[in-house]
Amino acid sequence: MDEAETARSGSALSDLAHEGVSVWLDEVTRRTLTDGTLSRLVSNASVTGALLPLRELGREVREGTAYRGQIGALGERGAGAEEVLRALHRQDARRACDMLAARFASTHGADGWVCAELDPRSADDVRGSLAEARGLVRAVDRPNLLITVPATAAGLQVVSGCLAEGIGVNISHLYAPRAYEEAADACFEGLERALAAGRPPVRGSVASFGAVRMETALRERQGRTVPHGRFALALARVVYHLYEERLGTSHWRRLRSAGAGQQRLLWSGAAEADGATAVRRAEDLVAWNTVQAMPARTVDAVARQGRLRGDTLSGESAAARRDLSELRAGGVDIEELAGEVASAELRGRAEERAALAGSLWELAAGAGG
């Protein structure tokens, strides 16, 4: 779909914006940055943020050509695989930040953010992850950068440490209500530490919750048959209620009065669905001041086919809790399933990251002769 088509058929995207939902483009790589995809969607206000997964960078390295020139140049200088990967990811982040800079400025930092990732192999290394986050922030040198940190026990310490130092975060791999509460606690703690150190609290923070991924896992891992969207929607409604409760506390009001930015919920997982299923997911997860992350194909599908029915999450937590209670009564341990999903995702990402380093070593070594 070209820019004119998106503008003509993008009423659902406009409706999302009117409902207070920001759309952030997922799966952003060098190709997305250079072929006009991100700039097109930003220019017509369809997209107001971006995520740069290392998984997609690796796919483009293996299957595409967008990185070949930079890899070759770095290889000729004798750069190793890790140095090459850092350079690729950082350049992508700078480009994306620049494309979203106007949005960031016009919303005074409420939107226009770009999420770059840490090495998933360091998910349990607090000191190493903090050092990597600092290096990434210095190298990219843009105010609208968020650092994606997985919500492991160590990762939550990294979240607190980043926020204490004025580094915005995207807390990832959240799959259960309890995990979200722990992430929110880490966020509040980091903001408190910043204030105690005399540092202005950061305005950028999102918590990425994988309700869709959990529903997929319920079917794949436990063979449960549930109506499409029911489990994901129940989880999202419960978590959104917890989010609203946090915003009503005196603790949050004090942080906000000191200048802290409001952490938003980001619904992840749209990349796992295509076509009508992806559109239904977008229609289902609608509530004020939230974010939906979706790849370009889903953005275009929502623009063509989406039919919103307003806020689907607020005021629905009681019914949602009953739905989750029914699953628990049927033998589903939601916290245990969430832990399995998070562990499997992180393990897979770490393996992909190691494989990517191997591919880059071969390409760089070949260029260096």
Side-chain angles (χ1 to χ4, degrees), residues 39-78:
S39 60
R40 167 177 65 85
L41 294 171
V42 169
S43 66
N44 62 33
S46 299
V47 159
T48 59
L51 294 88
L52 281 62
L54 289 171
R55 170 177 286 172
E56 296 305 317
L57 189 156
R59 181 174 289 118
E60 178 62 28
V61 166
R62 293 190 306 274
E63 301 174 6
T65 60
Y67 292 106
R68 293 299 170 88
Q70 188 179 4
I71 294 171
L74 290 166
E76 289 175 358
R77 295 198 336 237

PDB file of all heavy atoms in Angstrom, residues 39-78:
ATOM      1  N   SER A  39       9.652   6.039   6.894  1.00  0.00           N
ATOM      2  CA  SER A  39       9.409   7.459   6.635  1.00  0.00           C
ATOM      3  C   SER A  39       7.996   7.691   6.116  1.00  0.00           C
ATOM      4  O   SER A  39       7.348   8.680   6.480  1.00  0.00           O
ATOM      5  CB  SER A  39      10.440   8.002   5.646  1.00  0.00           C
ATOM      6  OG  SER A  39      10.375   7.316   4.411  1.00  0.00           O
ATOM      7  N   ARG A  40       7.485   6.769   5.288  1.00  0.00           N
ATOM      8  CA  ARG A  40       6.110   6.904   4.775  1.00  0.00           C
ATOM      9  C   ARG A  40       5.103   6.851   5.905  1.00  0.00           C
ATOM     10  O   ARG A  40       4.191   7.687   5.987  1.00  0.00           O
ATOM     11  CB  ARG A  40       5.833   5.778   3.775  1.00  0.00           C
ATOM     12  CG  ARG A  40       4.359   5.603   3.405  1.00  0.00           C
ATOM     13  CD  ARG A  40       4.160   4.526   2.350  1.00  0.00           C
ATOM     14  NE  ARG A  40       4.515   3.190   2.797  1.00  0.00           N
ATOM     15  CZ  ARG A  40       3.719   2.376   3.462  1.00  0.00           C
ATOM     16  NH1 ARG A  40       2.499   2.784   3.822  1.00  0.00           N
ATOM     17  NH2 ARG A  40       4.101   1.157   3.804  1.00  0.00           N
ATOM     18  N   LEU A  41       5.249   5.872   6.779  1.00  0.00           N
ATOM     19  CA  LEU A  41       4.280   5.692   7.844  1.00  0.00           C
ATOM     20  C   LEU A  41       4.376   6.791   8.899  1.00  0.00           C
ATOM     21  O   LEU A  41       3.379   7.163   9.518  1.00  0.00           O
ATOM     22  CB  LEU A  41       4.462   4.317   8.485  1.00  0.00           C
ATOM     23  CG  LEU A  41       4.130   3.138   7.562  1.00  0.00           C
ATOM     24  CD1 LEU A  41       4.553   1.822   8.195  1.00  0.00           C
ATOM     25  CD2 LEU A  41       2.648   3.115   7.213  1.00  0.00           C
ATOM     26  N   VAL A  42       5.581   7.319   9.103  1.00  0.00           N
ATOM     27  CA  VAL A  42       5.742   8.442  10.030  1.00  0.00           C
ATOM     28  C   VAL A  42       5.146   9.712   9.441  1.00  0.00           C
ATOM     29  O   VAL A  42       4.466  10.484  10.126  1.00  0.00           O
ATOM     30  CB  VAL A  42       7.229   8.641  10.385  1.00  0.00           C
ATOM     31  CG1 VAL A  42       7.436   9.961  11.136  1.00  0.00           C
ATOM     32  CG2 VAL A  42       7.740   7.476  11.222  1.00  0.00           C
ATOM     33  N   SER A  43       5.376   9.935   8.145  1.00  0.00           N
ATOM     34  CA  SER A  43       4.937  11.184   7.524  1.00  0.00           C
ATOM     35  C   SER A  43       3.425  11.327   7.500  1.00  0.00           C
ATOM     36  O   SER A  43       2.894  12.435   7.579  1.00  0.00           O
ATOM     37  CB  SER A  43       5.494  11.305   6.096  1.00  0.00           C
ATOM     38  OG  SER A  43       4.931  10.307   5.251  1.00  0.00           O
ATOM     39  N   ASN A  44       2.693  10.199   7.381  1.00  0.00           N
ATOM     40  CA  ASN A  44       1.235  10.313   7.399  1.00  0.00           C
ATOM     41  C   ASN A  44       0.642  10.024   8.778  1.00  0.00           C
ATOM     42  O   ASN A  44      -0.561   9.827   8.901  1.00  0.00           O
ATOM     43  CB  ASN A  44       0.596   9.414   6.335  1.00  0.00           C
ATOM     44  CG  ASN A  44       0.871   7.938   6.542  1.00  0.00           C
ATOM     45  OD1 ASN A  44       0.983   7.476   7.668  1.00  0.00           O
ATOM     46  ND2 ASN A  44       0.972   7.185   5.453  1.00  0.00           N
ATOM     47  N   ALA A  45       1.516  10.018   9.795  1.00  0.00           N
ATOM     48  CA  ALA A  45       1.116   9.892  11.197  1.00  0.00           C
ATOM     49  C   ALA A  45       0.518   8.533  11.534  1.00  0.00           C
ATOM     50  O   ALA A  45      -0.128   8.371  12.571  1.00  0.00           O
ATOM     51  CB  ALA A  45       0.130  11.003  11.589  1.00  0.00           C
ATOM     52  N   SER A  46       0.741   7.522  10.680  1.00  0.00           N
ATOM     53  CA  SER A  46       0.274   6.179  11.010  1.00  0.00           C
ATOM     54  C   SER A  46       1.098   5.571  12.134  1.00  0.00           C
ATOM     55  O   SER A  46       0.589   4.815  12.955  1.00  0.00           O
ATOM     56  CB  SER A  46       0.361   5.272   9.774  1.00  0.00           C
ATOM     57  OG  SER A  46      -0.435   5.754   8.726  1.00  0.00           O
ATOM     58  N   VAL A  47       2.391   5.900  12.159  1.00  0.00           N
ATOM     59  CA  VAL A  47       3.333   5.304  13.108  1.00  0.00           C
ATOM     60  C   VAL A  47       4.016   6.410  13.897  1.00  0.00           C
ATOM     61  O   VAL A  47       4.424   7.432  13.326  1.00  0.00           O
ATOM     62  CB  VAL A  47       4.367   4.449  12.347  1.00  0.00           C
ATOM     63  CG1 VAL A  47       5.619   4.232  13.161  1.00  0.00           C
ATOM     64  CG2 VAL A  47       3.750   3.112  11.949  1.00  0.00           C
ATOM     65  N   THR A  48       4.167   6.197  15.216  1.00  0.00           N
ATOM     66  CA  THR A  48       4.765   7.229  16.063  1.00  0.00           C
ATOM     67  C   THR A  48       5.910   6.701  16.926  1.00  0.00           C
ATOM     68  O   THR A  48       6.309   7.335  17.893  1.00  0.00           O
ATOM     69  CB  THR A  48       3.689   7.844  16.982  1.00  0.00           C
ATOM     70  OG1 THR A  48       3.119   6.805  17.801  1.00  0.00           O
ATOM     71  CG2 THR A  48       2.590   8.501  16.169  1.00  0.00           C
ATOM     72  N   GLY A  49       6.441   5.535  16.578  1.00  0.00           N
ATOM     73  CA  GLY A  49       7.567   4.955  17.297  1.00  0.00           C
ATOM     74  C   GLY A  49       8.090   3.763  16.519  1.00  0.00           C
ATOM     75  O   GLY A  49       7.510   3.372  15.498  1.00  0.00           O
ATOM     76  N   ALA A  50       9.190   3.191  16.980  1.00  0.00           N
ATOM     77  CA  ALA A  50       9.795   2.074  16.243  1.00  0.00           C
ATOM     78  C   ALA A  50      10.537   1.146  17.186  1.00  0.00           C
ATOM     79  O   ALA A  50      11.069   1.569  18.206  1.00  0.00           O
ATOM     80  CB  ALA A  50      10.756   2.603  15.175  1.00  0.00           C
ATOM     81  N   LEU A  51      10.546  -0.147  16.808  1.00  0.00           N
ATOM     82  CA  LEU A  51      11.308  -1.159  17.532  1.00  0.00           C
ATOM     83  C   LEU A  51      12.274  -1.820  16.564  1.00  0.00           C
ATOM     84  O   LEU A  51      11.902  -2.165  15.435  1.00  0.00           O
ATOM     85  CB  LEU A  51      10.386  -2.221  18.142  1.00  0.00           C
ATOM     86  CG  LEU A  51       9.434  -1.761  19.246  1.00  0.00           C
ATOM     87  CD1 LEU A  51       8.127  -1.253  18.647  1.00  0.00           C
ATOM     88  CD2 LEU A  51       9.150  -2.898  20.223  1.00  0.00           C
ATOM     89  N   LEU A  52      13.517  -2.010  17.011  1.00  0.00           N
ATOM     90  CA  LEU A  52      14.576  -2.566  16.174  1.00  0.00           C
ATOM     91  C   LEU A  52      15.045  -3.905  16.755  1.00  0.00           C
ATOM     92  O   LEU A  52      16.048  -3.970  17.463  1.00  0.00           O
ATOM     93  CB  LEU A  52      15.770  -1.601  16.108  1.00  0.00           C
ATOM     94  CG  LEU A  52      15.681  -0.398  15.169  1.00  0.00           C
ATOM     95  CD1 LEU A  52      14.548   0.539  15.545  1.00  0.00           C
ATOM     96  CD2 LEU A  52      16.999   0.374  15.173  1.00  0.00           C
ATOM     97  N   PRO A  53      14.340  -5.000  16.498  1.00  0.00           N
ATOM     98  CA  PRO A  53      14.737  -6.286  17.080  1.00  0.00           C
ATOM     99  C   PRO A  53      16.004  -6.835  16.424  1.00  0.00           C
ATOM    100  O   PRO A  53      16.139  -6.831  15.194  1.00  0.00           O
ATOM    101  CB  PRO A  53      13.537  -7.202  16.786  1.00  0.00           C
ATOM    102  CG  PRO A  53      12.436  -6.301  16.303  1.00  0.00           C
ATOM    103  CD  PRO A  53      13.107  -5.112  15.707  1.00  0.00           C
ATOM    104  N   LEU A  54      16.910  -7.340  17.238  1.00  0.00           N
ATOM    105  CA  LEU A  54      18.111  -7.981  16.696  1.00  0.00           C
ATOM    106  C   LEU A  54      17.744  -9.200  15.861  1.00  0.00           C
ATOM    107  O   LEU A  54      18.459  -9.562  14.920  1.00  0.00           O
ATOM    108  CB  LEU A  54      19.049  -8.371  17.833  1.00  0.00           C
ATOM    109  CG  LEU A  54      19.745  -7.204  18.543  1.00  0.00           C
ATOM    110  CD1 LEU A  54      20.472  -7.702  19.780  1.00  0.00           C
ATOM    111  CD2 LEU A  54      20.712  -6.492  17.602  1.00  0.00           C
ATOM    112  N   ARG A  55      16.631  -9.846  16.186  1.00  0.00           N
ATOM    113  CA  ARG A  55      16.177 -11.008  15.410  1.00  0.00           C
ATOM    114  C   ARG A  55      15.970 -10.627  13.945  1.00  0.00           C
ATOM    115  O   ARG A  55      16.366 -11.362  13.038  1.00  0.00           O
ATOM    116  CB  ARG A  55      14.880 -11.541  16.016  1.00  0.00           C
ATOM    117  CG  ARG A  55      14.172 -12.585  15.185  1.00  0.00           C
ATOM    118  CD  ARG A  55      12.937 -13.101  15.909  1.00  0.00           C
ATOM    119  NE  ARG A  55      13.302 -13.980  17.008  1.00  0.00           N
ATOM    120  CZ  ARG A  55      12.436 -14.451  17.902  1.00  0.00           C
ATOM    121  NH1 ARG A  55      11.157 -14.107  17.840  1.00  0.00           N
ATOM    122  NH2 ARG A  55      12.840 -15.269  18.853  1.00  0.00           N
ATOM    123  N   GLU A  56      15.350  -9.466  13.702  1.00  0.00           N
ATOM    124  CA  GLU A  56      15.092  -9.042  12.328  1.00  0.00           C
ATOM    125  C   GLU A  56      16.359  -8.549  11.652  1.00  0.00           C
ATOM    126  O   GLU A  56      16.540  -8.737  10.445  1.00  0.00           O
ATOM    127  CB  GLU A  56      14.025  -7.943  12.313  1.00  0.00           C
ATOM    128  CG  GLU A  56      12.679  -8.407  12.820  1.00  0.00           C
ATOM    129  CD  GLU A  56      12.165  -9.617  12.061  1.00  0.00           C
ATOM    130  OE1 GLU A  56      12.279  -9.637  10.816  1.00  0.00           O
ATOM    131  OE2 GLU A  56      11.666 -10.565  12.705  1.00  0.00           O
ATOM    132  N   LEU A  57      17.256  -7.942  12.408  1.00  0.00           N
ATOM    133  CA  LEU A  57      18.554  -7.560  11.845  1.00  0.00           C
ATOM    134  C   LEU A  57      19.266  -8.811  11.338  1.00  0.00           C
ATOM    135  O   LEU A  57      19.839  -8.815  10.235  1.00  0.00           O
ATOM    136  CB  LEU A  57      19.390  -6.839  12.907  1.00  0.00           C
ATOM    137  CG  LEU A  57      20.697  -6.182  12.470  1.00  0.00           C
ATOM    138  CD1 LEU A  57      21.076  -5.062  13.452  1.00  0.00           C
ATOM    139  CD2 LEU A  57      21.853  -7.174  12.356  1.00  0.00           C
ATOM    140  N   GLY A  58      19.220  -9.867  12.135  1.00  0.00           N
ATOM    141  CA  GLY A  58      19.865 -11.115  11.728  1.00  0.00           C
ATOM    142  C   GLY A  58      19.255 -11.702  10.476  1.00  0.00           C
ATOM    143  O   GLY A  58      19.970 -12.202   9.595  1.00  0.00           O
ATOM    144  N   ARG A  59      17.931 -11.629  10.367  1.00  0.00           N
ATOM    145  CA  ARG A  59      17.272 -12.161   9.168  1.00  0.00           C
ATOM    146  C   ARG A  59      17.698 -11.379   7.927  1.00  0.00           C
ATOM    147  O   ARG A  59      17.952 -11.959   6.877  1.00  0.00           O
ATOM    148  CB  ARG A  59      15.752 -12.108   9.355  1.00  0.00           C
ATOM    149  CG  ARG A  59      14.989 -12.661   8.159  1.00  0.00           C
ATOM    150  CD  ARG A  59      13.490 -12.724   8.420  1.00  0.00           C
ATOM    151  NE  ARG A  59      13.178 -13.765   9.389  1.00  0.00           N
ATOM    152  CZ  ARG A  59      12.623 -13.557  10.571  1.00  0.00           C
ATOM    153  NH1 ARG A  59      12.332 -12.331  10.959  1.00  0.00           N
ATOM    154  NH2 ARG A  59      12.358 -14.568  11.370  1.00  0.00           N
ATOM    155  N   GLU A  60      17.802 -10.061   8.069  1.00  0.00           N
ATOM    156  CA  GLU A  60      18.215  -9.246   6.918  1.00  0.00           C
ATOM    157  C   GLU A  60      19.671  -9.527   6.551  1.00  0.00           C
ATOM    158  O   GLU A  60      20.026  -9.564   5.368  1.00  0.00           O
ATOM    159  CB  GLU A  60      18.019  -7.764   7.235  1.00  0.00           C
ATOM    160  CG  GLU A  60      18.450  -6.818   6.132  1.00  0.00           C
ATOM    161  CD  GLU A  60      17.660  -6.989   4.844  1.00  0.00           C
ATOM    162  OE1 GLU A  60      16.483  -7.406   4.884  1.00  0.00           O
ATOM    163  OE2 GLU A  60      18.235  -6.710   3.760  1.00  0.00           O
ATOM    164  N   VAL A  61      20.521  -9.755   7.542  1.00  0.00           N
ATOM    165  CA  VAL A  61      21.922 -10.093   7.266  1.00  0.00           C
ATOM    166  C   VAL A  61      22.008 -11.400   6.481  1.00  0.00           C
ATOM    167  O   VAL A  61      22.766 -11.525   5.517  1.00  0.00           O
ATOM    168  CB  VAL A  61      22.731 -10.188   8.578  1.00  0.00           C
ATOM    169  CG1 VAL A  61      24.080 -10.871   8.344  1.00  0.00           C
ATOM    170  CG2 VAL A  61      22.944  -8.797   9.175  1.00  0.00           C
ATOM    171  N   ARG A  62      21.199 -12.385   6.882  1.00  0.00           N
ATOM    172  CA  ARG A  62      21.251 -13.695   6.232  1.00  0.00           C
ATOM    173  C   ARG A  62      20.596 -13.695   4.858  1.00  0.00           C
ATOM    174  O   ARG A  62      21.100 -14.327   3.924  1.00  0.00           O
ATOM    175  CB  ARG A  62      20.567 -14.748   7.109  1.00  0.00           C
ATOM    176  CG  ARG A  62      21.271 -15.059   8.408  1.00  0.00           C
ATOM    177  CD  ARG A  62      20.637 -16.287   9.072  1.00  0.00           C
ATOM    178  NE  ARG A  62      19.197 -16.155   9.244  1.00  0.00           N
ATOM    179  CZ  ARG A  62      18.615 -15.569  10.286  1.00  0.00           C
ATOM    180  NH1 ARG A  62      19.367 -15.054  11.250  1.00  0.00           N
ATOM    181  NH2 ARG A  62      17.298 -15.495  10.381  1.00  0.00           N
ATOM    182  N   GLU A  63      19.476 -13.000   4.731  1.00  0.00           N
ATOM    183  CA  GLU A  63      18.655 -13.155   3.538  1.00  0.00           C
ATOM    184  C   GLU A  63      18.653 -11.935   2.618  1.00  0.00           C
ATOM    185  O   GLU A  63      18.206 -12.045   1.468  1.00  0.00           O
ATOM    186  CB  GLU A  63      17.203 -13.448   3.963  1.00  0.00           C
ATOM    187  CG  GLU A  63      17.070 -14.701   4.821  1.00  0.00           C
ATOM    188  CD  GLU A  63      15.659 -14.901   5.353  1.00  0.00           C
ATOM    189  OE1 GLU A  63      14.766 -14.106   4.953  1.00  0.00           O
ATOM    190  OE2 GLU A  63      15.446 -15.837   6.153  1.00  0.00           O
ATOM    191  N   GLY A  64      19.109 -10.793   3.097  1.00  0.00           N
ATOM    192  CA  GLY A  64      19.034  -9.573   2.302  1.00  0.00           C
ATOM    193  C   GLY A  64      20.402  -8.991   1.993  1.00  0.00           C
ATOM    194  O   GLY A  64      21.435  -9.630   2.184  1.00  0.00           O
ATOM    195  N   THR A  65      20.382  -7.760   1.527  1.00  0.00           N
ATOM    196  CA  THR A  65      21.628  -7.095   1.120  1.00  0.00           C
ATOM    197  C   THR A  65      21.798  -5.727   1.764  1.00  0.00           C
ATOM    198  O   THR A  65      22.809  -5.063   1.524  1.00  0.00           O
ATOM    199  CB  THR A  65      21.648  -6.931  -0.405  1.00  0.00           C
ATOM    200  OG1 THR A  65      20.527  -6.124  -0.816  1.00  0.00           O
ATOM    201  CG2 THR A  65      21.588  -8.281  -1.106  1.00  0.00           C
ATOM    202  N   ALA A  66      20.841  -5.293   2.571  1.00  0.00           N
ATOM    203  CA  ALA A  66      20.850  -3.916   3.053  1.00  0.00           C
ATOM    204  C   ALA A  66      22.074  -3.590   3.909  1.00  0.00           C
ATOM    205  O   ALA A  66      22.498  -2.424   3.952  1.00  0.00           O
ATOM    206  CB  ALA A  66      19.575  -3.642   3.857  1.00  0.00           C
ATOM    207  N   TYR A  67      22.655  -4.583   4.557  1.00  0.00           N
ATOM    208  CA  TYR A  67      23.798  -4.327   5.439  1.00  0.00           C
ATOM    209  C   TYR A  67      25.136  -4.644   4.780  1.00  0.00           C
ATOM    210  O   TYR A  67      26.182  -4.414   5.388  1.00  0.00           O
ATOM    211  CB  TYR A  67      23.672  -5.172   6.715  1.00  0.00           C
ATOM    212  CG  TYR A  67      22.537  -4.773   7.621  1.00  0.00           C
ATOM    213  CD1 TYR A  67      21.392  -5.558   7.706  1.00  0.00           C
ATOM    214  CD2 TYR A  67      22.605  -3.627   8.394  1.00  0.00           C
ATOM    215  CE1 TYR A  67      20.342  -5.211   8.548  1.00  0.00           C
ATOM    216  CE2 TYR A  67      21.562  -3.264   9.244  1.00  0.00           C
ATOM    217  CZ  TYR A  67      20.433  -4.054   9.309  1.00  0.00           C
ATOM    218  OH  TYR A  67      19.391  -3.704  10.134  1.00  0.00           O
ATOM    219  N   ARG A  68      25.118  -5.186   3.595  1.00  0.00           N
ATOM    220  CA  ARG A  68      26.363  -5.692   3.005  1.00  0.00           C
ATOM    221  C   ARG A  68      27.435  -4.620   2.858  1.00  0.00           C
ATOM    222  O   ARG A  68      28.623  -4.865   3.106  1.00  0.00           O
ATOM    223  CB  ARG A  68      26.069  -6.343   1.649  1.00  0.00           C
ATOM    224  CG  ARG A  68      25.243  -7.630   1.746  1.00  0.00           C
ATOM    225  CD  ARG A  68      25.968  -8.693   2.557  1.00  0.00           C
ATOM    226  NE  ARG A  68      25.119  -9.834   2.869  1.00  0.00           N
ATOM    227  CZ  ARG A  68      24.966 -10.895   2.096  1.00  0.00           C
ATOM    228  NH1 ARG A  68      25.593 -10.954   0.925  1.00  0.00           N
ATOM    229  NH2 ARG A  68      24.180 -11.880   2.481  1.00  0.00           N
ATOM    230  N   GLY A  69      27.043  -3.421   2.448  1.00  0.00           N
ATOM    231  CA  GLY A  69      28.037  -2.368   2.255  1.00  0.00           C
ATOM    232  C   GLY A  69      28.751  -2.008   3.541  1.00  0.00           C
ATOM    233  O   GLY A  69      29.989  -1.912   3.578  1.00  0.00           O
ATOM    234  N   GLN A  70      28.013  -1.810   4.618  1.00  0.00           N
ATOM    235  CA  GLN A  70      28.635  -1.450   5.890  1.00  0.00           C
ATOM    236  C   GLN A  70      29.448  -2.608   6.446  1.00  0.00           C
ATOM    237  O   GLN A  70      30.543  -2.398   6.988  1.00  0.00           O
ATOM    238  CB  GLN A  70      27.571  -1.008   6.900  1.00  0.00           C
ATOM    239  CG  GLN A  70      28.179  -0.437   8.177  1.00  0.00           C
ATOM    240  CD  GLN A  70      27.127   0.019   9.177  1.00  0.00           C
ATOM    241  OE1 GLN A  70      25.923  -0.151   8.970  1.00  0.00           O
ATOM    242  NE2 GLN A  70      27.575   0.600  10.286  1.00  0.00           N
ATOM    243  N   ILE A  71      28.944  -3.820   6.309  1.00  0.00           N
ATOM    244  CA  ILE A  71      29.709  -4.979   6.784  1.00  0.00           C
ATOM    245  C   ILE A  71      31.029  -5.081   6.037  1.00  0.00           C
ATOM    246  O   ILE A  71      32.089  -5.322   6.636  1.00  0.00           O
ATOM    247  CB  ILE A  71      28.889  -6.279   6.609  1.00  0.00           C
ATOM    248  CG1 ILE A  71      27.669  -6.271   7.524  1.00  0.00           C
ATOM    249  CG2 ILE A  71      29.756  -7.508   6.913  1.00  0.00           C
ATOM    250  CD1 ILE A  71      26.693  -7.404   7.257  1.00  0.00           C
ATOM    251  N   GLY A  72      30.964  -4.879   4.726  1.00  0.00           N
ATOM    252  CA  GLY A  72      32.183  -4.955   3.932  1.00  0.00           C
ATOM    253  C   GLY A  72      33.202  -3.902   4.336  1.00  0.00           C
ATOM    254  O   GLY A  72      34.401  -4.193   4.476  1.00  0.00           O
ATOM    255  N   ALA A  73      32.731  -2.667   4.537  1.00  0.00           N
ATOM    256  CA  ALA A  73      33.640  -1.591   4.915  1.00  0.00           C
ATOM    257  C   ALA A  73      34.278  -1.859   6.276  1.00  0.00           C
ATOM    258  O   ALA A  73      35.489  -1.644   6.464  1.00  0.00           O
ATOM    259  CB  ALA A  73      32.887  -0.266   4.934  1.00  0.00           C
ATOM    260  N   LEU A  74      33.495  -2.342   7.212  1.00  0.00           N
ATOM    261  CA  LEU A  74      34.028  -2.649   8.538  1.00  0.00           C
ATOM    262  C   LEU A  74      34.977  -3.844   8.483  1.00  0.00           C
ATOM    263  O   LEU A  74      36.011  -3.871   9.168  1.00  0.00           O
ATOM    264  CB  LEU A  74      32.890  -2.926   9.509  1.00  0.00           C
ATOM    265  CG  LEU A  74      32.030  -1.709   9.894  1.00  0.00           C
ATOM    266  CD1 LEU A  74      30.751  -2.150  10.578  1.00  0.00           C
ATOM    267  CD2 LEU A  74      32.824  -0.768  10.802  1.00  0.00           C
ATOM    268  N   GLY A  75      34.643  -4.829   7.651  1.00  0.00           N
ATOM    269  CA  GLY A  75      35.509  -5.989   7.506  1.00  0.00           C
ATOM    270  C   GLY A  75      36.868  -5.617   6.939  1.00  0.00           C
ATOM    271  O   GLY A  75      37.901  -6.147   7.368  1.00  0.00           O
ATOM    272  N   GLU A  76      36.878  -4.703   5.982  1.00  0.00           N
ATOM    273  CA  GLU A  76      38.153  -4.264   5.397  1.00  0.00           C
ATOM    274  C   GLU A  76      39.036  -3.573   6.419  1.00  0.00           C
ATOM    275  O   GLU A  76      40.263  -3.573   6.296  1.00  0.00           O
ATOM    276  CB  GLU A  76      37.874  -3.328   4.218  1.00  0.00           C
ATOM    277  CG  GLU A  76      37.289  -4.037   3.007  1.00  0.00           C
ATOM    278  CD  GLU A  76      36.907  -3.069   1.901  1.00  0.00           C
ATOM    279  OE1 GLU A  76      37.076  -1.842   2.110  1.00  0.00           O
ATOM    280  OE2 GLU A  76      36.449  -3.543   0.842  1.00  0.00           O
ATOM    281  N   ARG A  77      38.418  -2.987   7.442  1.00  0.00           N
ATOM    282  CA  ARG A  77      39.189  -2.325   8.505  1.00  0.00           C
ATOM    283  C   ARG A  77      39.593  -3.291   9.598  1.00  0.00           C
ATOM    284  O   ARG A  77      40.200  -2.906  10.587  1.00  0.00           O
ATOM    285  CB  ARG A  77      38.358  -1.191   9.118  1.00  0.00           C
ATOM    286  CG  ARG A  77      38.073  -0.077   8.118  1.00  0.00           C
ATOM    287  CD  ARG A  77      37.646   1.232   8.761  1.00  0.00           C
ATOM    288  NE  ARG A  77      37.064   1.108  10.085  1.00  0.00           N
ATOM    289  CZ  ARG A  77      35.848   1.549  10.408  1.00  0.00           C
ATOM    290  NH1 ARG A  77      35.060   2.042   9.469  1.00  0.00           N
ATOM    291  NH2 ARG A  77      35.422   1.454  11.644  1.00  0.00           N
ATOM    292  N   GLY A  78      39.191  -4.557   9.458  1.00  0.00           N
ATOM    293  CA  GLY A  78      39.577  -5.570  10.435  1.00  0.00           C
ATOM    294  C   GLY A  78      38.649  -5.689  11.624  1.00  0.00           C
ATOM    295  O   GLY A  78      39.008  -6.296  12.637  1.00  0.00           O
TER     296      GLY A  78
END
